[in-house]
Amino acid sequence: QVTLLESGGGSVQAGDSLRLSCTASGTPFNGPVVGWFRQPPGKVREWVAVIHENGQTTFYTDSVKGRFTISRDNSGNTMYLQMNNLEPEDTAVYYCADDLNRSGRIWFVNAAGTWGQGTQVTVSA
């Protein structure tokens, strides 16, 4: 059984950077596609960034393109989200998840996938 744990969140000011980490324990990530989601206060959860098992194919929601970078290590048990030039609109609880799939341009987690517990990111103007 795989479990996911996020870390690296915090409170920063606009323009600052943070690097989130997500580590799987027990086994490597389930499924070939993993990624990051976020849930702003009072809003629904949305996908942020996705990465394929090959570590090369990536997808980003439009609002973070050019600012966020997703990556994963060769061992298959850790993914990262480098967040640069943060904006107040980025304030949210960030979750990592494995076993992603998509419908058109929208990414979601398969029923067999695993969610982390979330890490809070707060960006002040």
Side-chain angles (χ1 to χ4, degrees):
Q1 179 180 357
V2 63
T3 59
L4 307 182
L5 179 62
E6 303 97 335
S7 63
S11 297
V12 299
Q13 296 186 3
D16 288 348
S17 298
L18 286 172
R19 190 191 193 205
L20 306 183
S21 299
C22 172
T23 300
S25 62
T27 66
F29 296 121
N30 289 321
V33 184
V34 301
W36 292 89
F37 294 73
R38 68 184 181 186
Q39 186 167 11
K43 298 183 178 180
V44 299
R45 186 161 51 193
E46 61 187 5
W47 75 275
V48 177
V50 174
I51 188 168
H52 191 269
E53 186 176 18
N54 61 20
Q56 298 175 352
T57 304
T58 59
F59 300 87
Y60 299 93
T61 195
D62 287 345
S63 63
V64 308
K65 287 182 178 178
R67 300 188 298 117
F68 290 11
T69 303
I70 188 172
S71 60
R72 62 191 298 172
D73 65 15
N74 293 329
S75 67
N77 69 337
T78 305
M79 71 173 90
Y80 307 93
L81 186 67
Q82 178 67 46
M83 305 184 295
N84 296 330
N85 195 24
L86 284 162
E87 304 170 351
E89 292 75 17
D90 297 317
T91 295
V93 177
Y94 284 72
Y95 302 88
C96 64
D98 66 4
D99 200 7
L100 271 59
N101 210 333
R102 68 175 177 89
S103 177
R105 296 172 55 88
I106 306 300
W107 289 89
F108 61 92
V109 180
N110 289 327
T114 302
W115 292 94
Q117 86 290 348
T119 184
Q120 176 71 50
V121 173
T122 302
V123 185
S124 301

